[in-house]
Amino acid sequence: MKTPLNTEFTLRDLLEEQVRDLHDAEISYLDFIFRVSDRLEHPELRKNVDDTIISTRENIDRLVQICEILGVPPAGVDCAAMEGLIREAKEHTKEYESGSVMEASFVASAQRIVHYEIAGFGTGKAFAKKLGLNEVEKLFDEMLSQSVSIDKQLTKTATGSWFSDGINDLAVSNGPLAE
Ligand SMILES: [Fe+2]
């Protein structure tokens, strides 16, 4: 979207553009997750992926709701950043065809993506608050909380706990899944 060189372009316009960009980003991410999910075996990671699918679908619904509130169409803006993150994720997961190194690589990519989401949802929330759009702010806050929670789950799956090995532990020797 071209930014006009005048004062007519306001924070509200910026919010509308960012919401539509995030809507495209979430659709792309959901598509990527579906493509890769069958290859993931680690039980905790599979649970994280299932949770991610649910929350990404909910995010798409919320972003559509926000577009309705703002009176703009959800489609029509491409998120180039998510496209790049997914391209890199695909290259890496292809490089390590299977096993714990591929899974560690998937977690690394998923965390880059979730951090991009956290930045986008946090900014959207701040813009909505500034504009007094309470319902929009609430929807962004829900998306932000879910992304923060998924990020924490992914960290735990990668690094393990006192009681179980994480994917990173297994990937040290590209080892098999823990029983
Ligand atoms: Fe974007």
Side-chain angles (χ1 to χ4, degrees), residues 65-66 69 132-140:
Q65 251 178 282
I66 293 174
I69 294 169
L133 297 163
N134 298 340
E135 184 60 22
V136 175
E137 184 189 347
K138 188 177 138 270
L139 290 162
F140 267 118

Side-chain angles (χ1 to χ4, degrees), residues 18 21-22 24-25 77-82 116:
Q18 299 220 343
D21 179 274
L22 284 165
D24 183 67
V77 174
D78 292 333
C79 178
M82 183 63 90
Y116 180 72

Side-chain angles (χ1 to χ4, degrees), residues 7-80:
T7 53
E8 282 170 31
F9 195 83
T10 65
L11 188 68
R12 165 125 185 174
D13 297 305
L14 193 55
L15 174 65
E16 289 173 4
E17 188 185 334
Q18 299 220 343
V19 169
R20 298 169 77 204
D21 179 274
L22 284 165
H23 177 262
D24 183 67
E26 294 298 279
I27 289 174
S28 304
Y29 187 33
L30 191 60
D31 178 70
F32 168 66
I33 294 269
F34 277 129
R35 283 168 196 270
V36 79
S37 63
D38 284 353
R39 291 165 53 201
L40 305 170
E41 290 174 25
H42 191 283
E44 224 173 300
L45 183 56
R46 290 203 62 88
K47 166 88 174 65
N48 297 159
V49 165
D50 289 344
D51 289 348
T52 302
I53 288 171
I54 293 167
S55 88
T56 309
R57 278 188 170 139
E58 286 173 354
N59 287 347
I60 293 168
D61 288 346
R62 288 189 185 101
L63 289 160
V64 169
Q65 251 178 282
I66 293 174
C67 284
E68 277 167 13
I69 294 169
L70 298 174
V72 292
V77 174
D78 292 333
C79 178

Side-chain angles (χ1 to χ4, degrees), residues 42 44-45 48 103-104 107-108 111 151-172:
H42 191 283
E44 224 173 300
L45 183 56
N48 297 159
E103 292 185 326
V107 173
Q111 287 200 284
D151 185 41
K152 283 185 185 150
Q153 288 173 33
L154 286 167
T155 297
K156 190 169 160 281
T157 301
T159 58
S161 67
W162 287 106
F163 312 105
S164 61
D165 280 346
I167 284 171
N168 294 352
D169 299 300
L170 304 169
V172 170

